[in-house]
Amino acid sequence: QVQLVESGGGLVQAGGSLRLSCAASGSGFSINVMGWYRQVPGNQRELVAQTTRAGNANYADSVKGRFTISRDNAKNTVYLQMNSLKPEDTAVYYCNAEVLSTTTLRSFRYWGQGTQVTVSS
């Protein structure tokens, strides 16, 4: 079993910055893809950014040039640096991990509990 614990959300004014962190804990696993999704009430959860273990990243068009995803494989932690925040970035942000069990060789997806990001105008 893998747990994802997020931190770093909060309230910020437009143009400000926040940094989200997500740490995976557990044993007997390897993580390939880690990423961030966000969801606004009434809307579907959407991909914000994700990165492979090798560091290959992709971003939603709406955040390119403003957000940067990074990860520390030794700590099983992924970060999302969010700059030039806009009110439309307001959402609950969820960490996601594609996990490979090193014992069964099966893959699973895990989600964090979500962290609120609110950007005021």
Side-chain angles (χ1 to χ4, degrees), residues 40 69 81 94 98 108 112 121:
V40 175
I69 190 169
Q81 178 66 44
Y94 295 91
E98 181 183 300
F108 302 89
S121 57

Side-chain angles (χ1 to χ4, degrees), residues 22-99:
C22 171
S25 62
S27 62
F29 67 92
S30 173
I31 303 178
N32 180 21
V33 179
M34 294 189 82
W36 293 93
Y37 288 70
R38 65 187 181 188
Q39 187 171 24
V40 175
N43 289 5
Q44 286 191 336
R45 195 171 293 186
E46 63 175 8
L47 175 68
V48 177
Q50 63 183 22
T51 180
T52 67
R53 189 173 185 84
N56 298 311
N58 63 283
Y59 298 88
D61 288 342
S62 59
V63 306
K64 283 181 181 177
R66 299 188 297 121
F67 291 11
T68 302
I69 190 169
S70 61
R71 66 188 280 179
D72 184 333
N73 291 327
K75 296 181 179 180
N76 286 322
T77 300
V78 65
Y79 307 95
L80 186 68
Q81 178 66 44
M82 304 185 293
N83 298 328
S84 302
L85 282 161
K86 305 176 181 180
E88 50 264 43
D89 294 318
T90 295
V92 177
Y93 283 69
Y94 295 91
C95 177
N96 175 263
E98 181 183 300
V99 175

Side-chain angles (χ1 to χ4, degrees), residues 6-28:
E6 301 147 342
S7 60
L11 173 64
V12 66
Q13 288 190 330
S17 298
L18 283 174
R19 189 190 194 213
L20 305 183
S21 299
C22 171
S25 62
S27 62

